[in-house]
Amino acid sequence: MDMKRILVYFLIIMMTAFPVSAGDIILNRWVLNVSVNEDGVVDELIQVEIQNAGQLPIDGFSFVVPASRVTVIYDFDHTYSSKGQVVEQLNVENGIKLTVKFDSPLNIGETWNGRIGFKAENFAKRSENDYIIKLPLNVPQSLESGKNTDMKIPPDVDLRGQIFLPKGIEVISATPKPFRILFQNSHMVPTWTPLNIHFTDTIDLKSSFSEILKKIADVDEGSKSLSKRIKEAKKNGQDVSEAETHLKNAEDFNTNNANSALSSFWTKDDPSALEFIGFAQNELDLAEKSFSSSGEARASPAVTVIVTAEKSPGIGVEYLAMILLISYIVLRNKRQ
């Protein structure tokens, strides 16, 4: 057998064992944004990028959500694709399988960018004030001619995840270890990046209610609300400098400085955290009072201007009396 024939046989064997189309649908991006509501219902948004580097067009893709019920949200902010799409659901052993079907196939060499948004029930398990989330990072599958095939995961895949916990709920344990736990928009947000999660991992998160964290979140929300009102008042020319000073102090005592309630919370120094919360709330109350007073002070000049004599088009009383006196003297002299 000559070398050319051996090479042909080798290529045939390789193509049979590793079909070109089977591993060449590449998943470039899979970004999870999960928000847990107080009742345990989860709002999830997944940003996806798929590249067809295979030999066949693909009609969509599928993945499994670990939930008992899923409601897909069809609008621009949630489920969106330039190709258009329909999401079909199928109950499977470990949750609900969502199959995203394109209106037109993703042809060879094309890249698809889109997002899928939905509500999921029994995704997060709630027991009183405790929440448990298990999120398997299974490899999504491409849909080719009616068959599902695992996508190829490149080394530089953009795999990220964020879980927004309900207000006042802190992280008790998390595996894999988050890259960072943020305090964002008054919520705890464990965050994972490609540095610490991979496909086939399972995010296992346990969390529970914290009275101290709830107080920190309440002050944070109050600060943000007053900050918006102060900015609006400044646009209208209102002097709110004193309120701004108190608001800045409140934010520093609560979240902004190393010596703050949030910083003490991270280090489990509860007495210091409560003390800083008290300082922050007091400054926030002073800011609110000053802001209200500045609004009242600004209103009084407007009333004064409206009733000022300088605005009156009529003749003053003093001038009218003088004219009458002159007329009386002239008439008297004529009679004499």
Side-chain angles (χ1 to χ4, degrees):
M1 185 180 293
D2 59 21
M3 185 59 68
K4 184 180 291 186
R5 185 172 297 178
I6 292 173
L7 181 59
V8 170
Y9 286 153
F10 177 75
L11 290 174
I12 291 173
I13 292 171
M14 290 295 292
M15 291 179 68
T16 302
F18 305 100
V20 174
S21 63
D24 287 339
I25 307 303
I26 301 171
L27 182 65
N28 291 325
R29 180 181 298 121
W30 191 261
V31 178
L32 306 166
N33 293 277
V34 177
S35 295
V36 183
N37 299 299
E38 289 188 5
D39 59 3
V41 175
V42 162
D43 294 299
E44 182 167 358
L45 180 69
I46 307 176
Q47 300 175 54
V48 188
E49 181 181 300
I50 299 171
Q51 179 184 353
N52 187 354
Q55 298 296 310
L56 295 172
I58 66 171
D59 301 313
F61 64 96
S62 64
F63 59 98
V64 176
V65 180
S68 62
R69 182 180 180 184
V70 171
T71 303
V72 179
I73 303 172
Y74 290 96
D75 61 32
F76 182 80
D77 293 326
H78 294 86
T79 299
Y80 171 76
S81 165
S82 58
K83 279 185 169 295
Q85 60 194 30
V86 174
V87 182
E88 297 181 351
Q89 300 187 29
L90 177 66
N91 290 325
V92 293
E93 183 179 356
N94 52 346
I96 296 179
K97 182 178 181 180
L98 299 184
T99 299
V100 179
K101 290 190 173 181
F102 302 145
D103 289 349
S104 59
L106 182 68
N107 294 317
I108 300 166
E110 292 182 343
T111 297
W112 179 84
N113 287 282
R115 52 183 177 265
I116 302 95
F118 53 87
K119 288 184 176 293
E121 298 178 18
N122 293 319
F123 187 134
K125 310 298 182 184
R126 180 186 177 186
S127 176
E128 295 183 353
N129 289 325
D130 298 331
Y131 296 82
I132 296 175
I133 295 175
K134 289 185 182 293
L135 176 56
L137 298 173
N138 298 321
V139 177
Q141 295 185 317
S142 60
L143 182 62
E144 305 172 31
S145 302
K147 296 181 180 180
N148 291 303
T149 307
D150 285 350
M151 296 185 193
K152 182 177 179 180
I153 308 299
D156 60 347
V157 62
D158 183 11
L159 173 61
R160 290 176 284 139
Q162 283 189 314
I163 299 180
F164 288 78
L165 295 172
K167 189 174 75 171
I169 302 299
E170 67 170 316
V171 176
I172 301 301
S173 66
T175 56
K177 184 179 179 181
F179 172 73
R180 188 174 295 165
I181 299 178
L182 305 173
F183 184 72
Q184 186 175 336
N185 297 327
S186 305
H187 296 264
M188 280 295 179
V189 189
T191 302
W192 291 266
T193 73
L195 296 175
N196 53 356
I197 54 170
H198 308 87
F199 279 102
T200 71
D201 287 344
T202 295
I203 293 176
D204 191 345
L205 177 65
K206 294 180 175 63
S207 57
S208 186
F209 178 77
S210 165
E211 184 66 39
I212 291 177
L213 183 59
K214 173 67 162 52
K215 291 178 183 293
I216 292 172
D218 286 342
V219 176
D220 187 57
E221 285 189 341
S223 298
K224 286 182 170 58
S225 175
L226 181 57
S227 177
K228 291 180 181 178
R229 292 157 56 202
I230 286 176
K231 288 179 181 177
E232 190 64 29
K234 287 182 71 175
K235 288 181 183 178
N236 296 329
Q238 188 172 329
D239 181 9
V240 289
S241 55
E242 183 180 344
E244 285 183 302
T245 299
H246 287 300
L247 179 61
K248 178 64 167 56
N249 291 338
E251 292 170 344
D252 288 346
F253 281 130
N254 198 46
T255 58
N256 286 353
N257 284 338
N259 294 322
S260 66
L262 186 60
S263 179
S264 298
F265 174 80
W266 290 129
T267 59
K268 304 301 180 184
D269 185 357
D270 292 352
S272 294
L274 289 170
E275 187 175 5
F276 283 123
I277 290 169
F279 291 150
Q281 186 61 59
N282 182 60
E283 288 294 318
L284 185 61
D285 292 342
L286 291 173
E288 185 70 54
K289 183 178 180 181
S290 175
F291 178 71
S292 299
S293 299
S294 65
E296 293 171 2
R298 185 175 179 270
S300 57
V303 176
T304 303
V305 169
I306 292 174
V307 299
T308 181
E310 294 179 5
K311 296 289 183 178
S312 174
I315 299 174
V317 175
E318 296 86 354
Y319 293 104
L320 183 59
M322 186 178 295
I323 291 172
L324 291 173
L325 179 60
I326 294 173
S327 299
Y328 172 76
I329 293 172
V330 170
L331 291 172
R332 184 180 177 184
N333 289 335
K334 281 185 179 181
R335 288 174 182 175
Q336 291 176 351

